[in-house]
Amino acid sequence: MQTVEHETFAKPSEVREFPHGKAELLKVGDSVIGRLTLQPGWRWSNDVKPIAGTDSCLAPHFQYHVQGRLAIRMDDGREFVGGPGDITSLPQGHDAWVVGDEPVVVIDWYGATDWARAEEDAGHE
């Protein structure tokens, strides 16, 4: 049976900070939703790769882009930029970086659990 829950990013369940950014996580039922705030200069391969210990991000993501522009390059070479109002669905195997001088904010509905965690702890990134 579904229950009523109310959570807010004003009081996240967990916050993970890393160079040039942070992941705020909310636990809602059996799900974890993340709000990622990435500052200008952030790049996964520079700022999260040392934490994850993998060549590219191995966590799949389903994200809503709230603010800023985020470039994404898949391991197969496909590349695009997500901006406010966009939805991105990413399989594992990608890099990403902030484009421009505005911070990026995305809501990650899938994959947030393993953001900025070591591979042996997470099994994804």
Side-chain angles (χ1 to χ4, degrees):
M1 182 170 144
Q2 187 176 3
T3 61
V4 174
E5 293 189 50
H6 178 245
E7 301 296 336
T8 176
F9 282 112
K11 294 182 181 179
S13 305
E14 182 180 353
V15 177
R16 296 184 192 146
E17 296 190 20
F18 44 86
H20 296 106
K22 66 180 175 180
E24 298 165 290
L25 306 175
L26 288 182
K27 294 178 182 170
V28 181
D30 294 335
S31 299
V32 176
I33 297 119
R35 178 171 66 183
L36 310 174
T37 303
L38 310 170
Q39 298 300 324
W42 178 87
R43 186 173 185 133
W44 186 92
S45 54
N46 294 333
D47 298 319
V48 182
K49 179 180 178 175
I51 299 166
T54 58
D55 289 334
S56 63
C57 180
L58 298 182
H61 301 285
F62 185 62
Q63 300 174 326
Y64 173 71
H65 295 252
V66 178
Q67 173 184 312
R69 295 174 44 84
L70 185 67
I72 299 158
R73 180 181 299 132
M74 302 304 299
D75 286 354
D76 67 8
R78 287 179 290 166
E79 189 172 315
F80 60 93
V81 176
D86 290 352
I87 300 286
T88 52
S89 178
L90 305 174
Q92 66 178 358
H94 53 271
D95 190 9
W97 60 94
V98 173
V99 175
D101 295 329
E102 183 179 14
V104 166
V105 177
V106 297
I107 303 299
D108 195 344
W109 297 96
Y110 185 81
T113 303
D114 296 326
W115 247 95
R117 290 179 70 181
E119 183 180 26
E120 61 270 10
D121 294 336
H124 294 285
E125 283 192 40

